Amino acid sequence: MHTREKMTDVLNSEYVAFARARGETDAQIFRNHGFRNSVVPAVTLQFAYFAELFGGSVLAETVFSYPGLGSTLTEAALGGDVPLLLGIVLVSAVFVFTGNMIADVINAAIDPRVRRRA
């Protein structure tokens, strides 16, 4: 729904009206203006959900008594096992960082405004 709303905003913007006045076809407008401007927030949101994977796994494994990383994290926190707790938090931080880095790289490839100028 977020992507659809962003696409509607982009296609109703003034620069799309100007592109139509210049004679661009609907396919060119979609590719050059609509897709690039509406996909950046969608990519960012999809990779931001990486952090929610850990919260969901802790909840699901605790509720349904599944053995896994979430239940191990809960047991380590309740038992005071600091090295194990620190290791799980570090692995999850690297996982979330990697997801955000992938989103940034994809956004830079899609949208030239995001690229850093040297």
Side-chain angles (χ1 to χ4, degrees):
M1 289 179 65
H2 185 269
T3 306
R4 181 181 181 277
E5 184 66 30
K6 183 68 175 172
M7 180 65 81
T8 303
D9 290 343
V10 167
L11 292 179
N12 290 331
S13 65
E14 292 180 6
Y15 59 88
V16 170
F18 181 70
R20 282 204 174 113
R22 283 191 325 220
E24 288 187 27
T25 64
D26 286 339
Q28 289 173 331
I29 289 172
F30 177 77
R31 186 183 66 239
N32 295 334
H33 303 289
F35 179 73
R36 284 191 173 179
N37 290 317
S38 65
V39 79
V40 171
V43 167
T44 303
L45 283 174
Q46 290 301 318
F47 283 98
Y49 290 139
F50 274 17
E52 293 181 14
L53 286 174
F54 283 101
S57 71
V58 170
L59 180 66
E61 291 171 6
T62 303
V63 169
F64 297 111
S65 298
Y66 290 146
L69 194 61
S71 61
T72 305
L73 178 69
T74 305
E75 290 173 12
L78 294 175
D81 191 359
V82 176
L84 180 60
L85 187 63
L86 199 63
I88 293 173
V89 169
L90 185 65
V91 167
S92 64
V94 168
F95 186 69
V96 171
F97 173 77
T98 304
N100 289 333
M101 182 63 75
I102 291 169
D104 288 343
V105 168
I106 291 173
N107 284 338
I110 292 172
D111 192 1
R113 295 174 299 178
V114 177
R115 294 183 198 136
R116 181 181 298 189
R117 297 180 188 198

